[in-house]
Amino acid sequence: MAWVYIEDLGRHLGEEATLRGWLYNRRSSGKVHFLLVRDGTGVCQCVAGVNDLGAEAFAAADHLGQETSLAVTGIVREDRRAPGGRELIVKRIEVIAPASDYPITPKEHGVAFLLDQRHLWIRSSRQHAILRVRSEVASACRDFFAERGFVLFDAPILTPTSCEGTTNLFEIDYFGERKAYLTQSGQLYAEAGALAFGKVYCFGPTFRAEKSKTRRHLTEFWMVEPEVAYFNLDDDMRLAEDFVAYIVARVLDRRSEELKTLERDLAPLERAAQKPYARITYDEAIERLRAKGFEVKWGDDLGGDEETALSNEFSTPLLVHRYPAACKPFYMKRDPARPELALCVDMLAPEGYGEIIGGGQREDDYETLRARILEQQLPLEPFNWYLDLRRYGSVPHAGFGMGIERAVSWLCGIHHVREAVPFPRMMERLEP
Ligand code: 4AD
Ligand code: MG
């Protein structure tokens, strides 16, 4: 028996092959059954006629439940009309395990129901396509950095303090002796890595106790964070632009089938695969927003609606740099030309997807950084090791973080980040 994955059927035209998978759907003309079989790599139409199968097996095939696991053997044939362009003329069907009353049927279901059934929902074609794009994005991130000589430098998840402010920290009781926190970002540790290895990145789950129930917020999300010694803000922006253009090009190249399943408009992605991206300062962002009738105060962080309005003015992703330091975390370096500004950058995705990247240049002066920690009423003691990085051979350095779910949502053109991760965690959802 030659076991073949559906994605490889093209190399077996005219041969006998066995598919191992699950029954996705079926219909019958009475004389012929059409079984749609999926195996994770694709869906194949299996054509079963009574003459090939025999009367008994033919009758049984008409009662197979959706998601029955089975092995189907037959001859591979090219057929332009079939999904995937190939079909299998069935000789034998072996049921591995039956399934009946599968809860997710081809009819419409509500999102709350589907989220409860997430462990099964991921078998559906849309969810399947999204998660394959996610997998491609993660590989592209790793390849991008590996090709440029970055060292993978994993940051801890259990941490003694905050990185991105204390308002959305998950607190953990650590052996009844002290408090620990789930990391909000691996950045502080990546900085230590950059001063040891020159250029590093970390890539792992991060946590925010976000009480906001928006389409852009999860409480657990994955972030990829490069950090480079001797980089300034300009270098950092160039890296972010190269990085995103690389990922977009890769997904267009290798996941075009999935984007088609998702009915994704490719034009905005094709533009985002090209450099350079548009760049404006925060000051200019405020002017543009006011011209559009937004009542924004200089000094406020930009909200979702404002980000959407701004990015709609550009056809590429948009880099907004130099926000007021007061609305950014303690570690950001100030602009020496205008100390009220931070040397930071956010990348806004087009089409209303908002911020996908946040980053910038880090404060590298010992006294200044120490003063900022105190100013923000953070405890000094847990930051002692971090201050050491400024005590022993401090250098200018910069980095950024990209949220994987935000990037995947944009690439797939889906409404909510909850579909961009296998098992989403949100304020009101911890199951399954
Ligand atoms: O802008 P943020 O908070 O930046 C940092 O954490 C920096 N320490 C990163 C760095 O410089 N190394 O988060 C970075 C990105 C955002 O642009 C967004 O894509 C994503 O992480 N993100 C979230 N994604 C989903 N749900 C949330 N609650 C998110 N919060 C941030
Ligand atoms: Mg941010």
Side-chain angles (χ1 to χ4, degrees):
M1 178 203 72
W3 172 21
V4 177
Y5 278 107
I6 291 171
E7 65 180 358
D8 299 327
L9 280 177
R11 288 193 264 124
H12 297 269
L13 294 178
E15 295 171 19
E16 183 174 296
T18 297
L19 305 181
R20 291 171 151 176
W22 297 263
L23 184 65
Y24 194 58
N25 208 346
R26 65 176 161 76
R27 62 192 171 82
S28 181
S29 72
K31 291 202 188 86
V32 187
H33 301 320
F34 298 94
L35 308 179
L36 280 184
V37 173
R38 62 165 193 91
D39 73 350
T41 71
V43 177
C44 179
Q45 173 167 283
C46 301
V47 183
V50 65
N51 293 339
D52 298 319
L53 271 191
E56 198 179 325
F58 183 78
D62 205 17
H63 297 281
L64 295 172
Q66 188 186 343
E67 289 302 318
T68 294
S69 50
L70 33 74
V72 188
T73 303
I75 303 294
V76 185
R77 207 174 69 177
E78 195 142 40
D79 186 334
R80 277 178 216 296
R81 292 159 306 170
R86 256 107 38 191
E87 58 180 22
L88 197 75
I89 308 303
V90 181
K91 286 185 174 169
R92 259 191 328 279
I93 298 174
E94 183 196 347
V95 171
I96 311 298
S100 54
D101 303 321
Y102 186 67
I104 304 177
T105 56
K107 71 165 203 215
E108 289 274 309
H109 296 283
V111 170
F113 171 81
L114 289 169
L115 282 168
D116 287 340
Q117 304 290 332
R118 184 65 177 166
H119 52 297
L120 303 176
W121 191 21
I122 52 177
R123 301 182 186 188
S124 309
S125 62
R126 264 181 64 79
Q127 298 306 312
H128 196 260
I130 295 166
L131 294 176
R132 281 175 72 100
V133 170
R134 178 190 170 100
S135 169
E136 193 65 51
V137 168
S139 312
C141 291
R142 295 191 187 283
D143 290 347
F144 176 88
F145 290 122
E147 285 167 17
R148 284 158 186 77
F150 282 63
V151 171
L152 172 65
F153 187 82
D154 299 308
I157 287 171
L158 291 171
T159 58
T161 182
S162 72
C163 175
E164 297 296 314
T166 49
T167 53
N168 59 10
L169 261 184
F170 275 114
E171 194 177 294
I172 284 175
D173 170 39
Y174 205 64
F175 300 108
E177 281 176 11
R178 55 181 295 195
K179 284 176 188 160
Y181 307 94
L182 294 181
T183 187
Q184 297 164 306
S185 156
Q187 178 198 319
L188 306 188
Y189 296 94
E191 287 183 54
L195 272 60
F197 295 91
K199 39 189 176 177
V200 298
Y201 73 102
C202 60
F203 191 175
T206 49
F207 305 85
R208 309 269 169 107
E210 300 272 12
K211 293 223 166 97
S212 43
K213 297 182 188 169
T214 80
R215 69 189 190 98
R216 296 173 182 174
H217 288 94
L218 296 166
T219 51
E220 176 180 318
F221 62 98
W222 281 64
M223 187 152 46
V224 55
E225 300 180 82
E227 191 72 31
V228 187
Y230 293 103
F231 253 32
N232 63 23
L233 178 61
D234 280 338
D235 302 321
D236 201 37
M237 290 203 274
R238 262 196 304 277
L239 182 70
E241 185 179 78
D242 287 348
F243 178 60
V244 173
Y246 178 98
I247 292 168
V248 175
R250 171 79 163 259
V251 168
L252 281 171
D253 181 38
R254 299 206 191 162
R255 289 291 158 248
S256 59
E257 273 307 311
E258 284 75 5
L259 295 177
K260 204 159 106 195
T261 299
L262 296 164
E263 295 171 7
R264 179 66 167 106
D265 176 7
L266 298 184
L269 298 185
E270 277 156 3
R271 285 193 296 271
Q274 306 291 327
K275 296 172 284 188
Y277 292 174
R279 288 181 192 193
I280 59 172
T281 61
Y282 171 89
D283 285 353
E284 188 182 340
I286 295 294
E287 275 170 33
R288 283 174 176 268
L289 287 169
R290 284 187 182 148
K292 287 169 154 302
F294 281 87
E295 285 179 26
V296 279
K297 232 178 45 251
W298 192 97
D300 289 348
D301 206 354
L302 303 178
D305 293 343
E306 284 122 18
E307 288 179 354
T308 300
L310 274 178
S311 60
N312 282 344
E313 297 195 1
F314 300 88
S315 61
T316 64
L318 173 65
L319 296 161
V320 183
H321 56 98
R322 294 180 166 80
Y323 284 67
C327 63
K328 292 291 177 185
F330 71 96
Y331 53 70
M332 295 217 173
K333 191 170 180 65
R334 306 284 174 107
D335 187 348
R338 281 178 61 193
E340 73 278 18
L341 301 180
L343 289 175
C344 67
V345 61
D346 278 5
M347 186 187 292
L348 312 183
E351 304 166 87
Y353 281 90
E355 178 195 336
I356 52 169
I357 279 183
Q361 199 175 326
R362 322 304 188 187
E363 182 49 70
D364 49 20
D365 177 67
Y366 174 83
E367 290 300 340
T368 313
L369 183 62
R370 186 175 184 277
R372 296 257 191 282
I373 293 172
L374 293 173
E375 247 168 55
Q376 305 226 350
Q377 295 176 350
L378 294 166
L380 255 191
E381 218 278 320
F383 287 105
N384 237 328
W385 69 268
Y386 186 63
L387 285 163
D388 268 357
L389 306 177
R390 281 75 181 166
R391 279 191 192 102
Y392 305 108
S394 187
V395 293
H397 60 287
F400 62 81
M402 183 181 82
I404 296 301
E405 292 76 11
R406 296 251 185 112
V408 170
S409 300
W410 164 52
L411 290 164
C412 292
I414 58 176
H415 179 69
H416 199 299
V417 286
R418 66 189 165 209
E419 291 179 34
V421 58
F423 294 96
R425 295 291 175 251
M426 294 170 283
M427 192 181 166
E428 71 288 16
R429 179 165 296 275
L430 204 51
E431 277 96 13

